Amino acid sequence: MSTSTFPTMSLDLVGIIFLADLSLIAQRTALTGGSTFLDIFVLCPGLHHQQDAGNVHGGEYPAVAAMTTGYVFRVENPATVNFLQRVGRTGQLTTLSVTNIRNSKQGWLSDFMSSIDSSMSPGTVTAYLLAVGSTIAVSYLLILTEDWWGLLVLAVLMFTRFINVLLIQSRSRAGWSGASEPGVVGDLLVLLSQDRWVRITGYVDDLKAVTSGEWLRDMTWVESALSGFTTLLIYFNVALASNAKLFGQFLLLLLLVGAAGLLGLVNMLTQGLQMHGNLITVNGPRRKYRRRLDMAEALIKETGRDDWAVRLGMINPSQASGAKSGSTENAAFSETLTM
């Protein structure tokens, strides 16, 4: 009489999940405008792609007009473009405001916790702290079970994250953003792909800080070498993971999948963008328009000038000159009546 045995469960290839091509950490880096040491405890697949955060905008550099001066340029900050893509809606005008938060954060604890900003709801903060706490809990369980291989795998992941955090902090320091114009209020209109329109208001210096210059500078050869080293560590860690105990492999799998879900939730619920000491948030409800010309006419009426609309190609120069001549005739007629 032959007896059949139930196949033994194996998770020796659990390390392959480290290599999953997810952009969650890169997206988080773009939303916070950098990275903090608290992020070391947030481990999920794709952590070796954090240095690719400068490509989250998909190569789009949308046209933007300063409706207060008439100048037209482009948004050069990839993180800001990515946020505008997230909040923009087709056929609708989304209004954003930029607030300076440099002076509102003081002390080492505020710097350490800068991944959590005022635009995050309590539920979002809870999800982020759960992702942090899960890494600490798994480390404790691996120590209790004396799974030193599993603990080594976790330590390598955290060390890789630590190096990437240092690189992001070094690359994301504020640099050139144009001449300072203290106290001047600005009003920008951004035309994104898929007919998404975004209006950004705030002080000109703050607007320049989030739209111009560079966010992540190019890596030096030393930084490139470190980035490549961390990528190799992740691939090496795949082999190390097979030496962990079955329970340890299960914990690592649960940690990475759970942290990915939590970080995805945090990214989805985060309603603001931090950038060089400024916070960009949605201000008021979106306004729908039948066509782009209707929006242009409404904003021209509100701002009292149309040169920016001509330069953006939203109205024809003939329409602008007609509007100006019409307004001139009305002014002359009004002056005649008062004489």
Side-chain angles (χ1 to χ4, degrees), residues 96-107:
L96 308 180
S97 61
V98 181
T99 307
N100 190 305
I101 58 174
R102 292 185 190 91
N103 298 327
S104 62
K105 293 184 176 182
Q106 298 178 353

Side-chain angles (χ1 to χ4, degrees), residues 154-221:
L154 196 62
V156 170
L157 290 176
M158 294 178 65
F159 177 72
T160 302
R161 194 82 158 94
F162 172 71
I163 296 298
N164 277 294
V165 167
L166 291 180
L167 291 177
I168 290 294
Q169 288 184 346
S170 176
R171 297 177 61 198
S172 62
R173 293 173 183 171
W176 182 92
S177 59
S180 177
E181 301 179 51
V184 180
V185 177
D187 194 352
L188 306 180
L189 177 66
V190 185
L191 300 184
L192 290 156
S193 60
Q194 302 174 12
D195 284 319
R196 291 169 291 186
W197 313 313
V198 179
R199 185 178 186 179
I200 314 177
T201 60
Y203 287 107
V204 170
D205 285 347
D206 299 333
L207 293 175
K208 287 182 177 181
V210 300
T211 59
S212 60
E214 61 180 2
W215 167 49
L216 290 180
R217 61 167 176 77
D218 294 337
M219 288 188 285
T220 64
W221 69 269

Side-chain angles (χ1 to χ4, degrees), residues 10-20 45 153 157 237-257:
S10 174
L11 290 174
D12 288 345
L13 297 179
V14 67
I16 293 180
I17 196 173
F18 303 160
L19 307 178
V153 169
L157 290 176
N237 219 22
V238 174
L240 290 181
S242 61
N243 296 311
K245 296 178 181 179
L246 179 62
F247 182 65
Q249 292 174 348
F250 176 74
L251 286 178
L252 291 173
L253 177 64
L254 192 63
L255 170 65
L256 291 171
V257 173

Side-chain angles (χ1 to χ4, degrees), residues 58 79 85 106 110 113 123 131 189 197-198 206 221 260-262 283 287 301 317 338-339:
Q85 292 170 338
Q106 298 178 353
S110 295
M113 296 287 288
L189 177 66
W197 313 313
V198 179
D206 299 333
W221 69 269
L262 289 170
N283 183 17
R287 287 186 285 176
K301 183 178 180 181
T338 57
M339 288 180 63

Side-chain angles (χ1 to χ4, degrees), residues 113-139:
M113 296 287 288
S114 61
S115 283
I116 302 174
D117 60 69
S118 57
S119 68
M120 296 173 63
S121 65
T124 310
V125 174
T126 301
Y128 181 81
L129 293 180
L130 279 175
V132 172
S134 60
T135 300
I136 299 174
V138 168
S139 302

Side-chain angles (χ1 to χ4, degrees), residues 3 18 22 25-26 38 102 158 182 210 221 224 226 238 312 321:
T3 59
F18 303 160
L22 301 182
I25 290 180
L38 191 63
R102 292 185 190 91
M158 294 178 65
V210 300
W221 69 269
S224 296
L226 284 174
V238 174
L312 276 180
S321 60

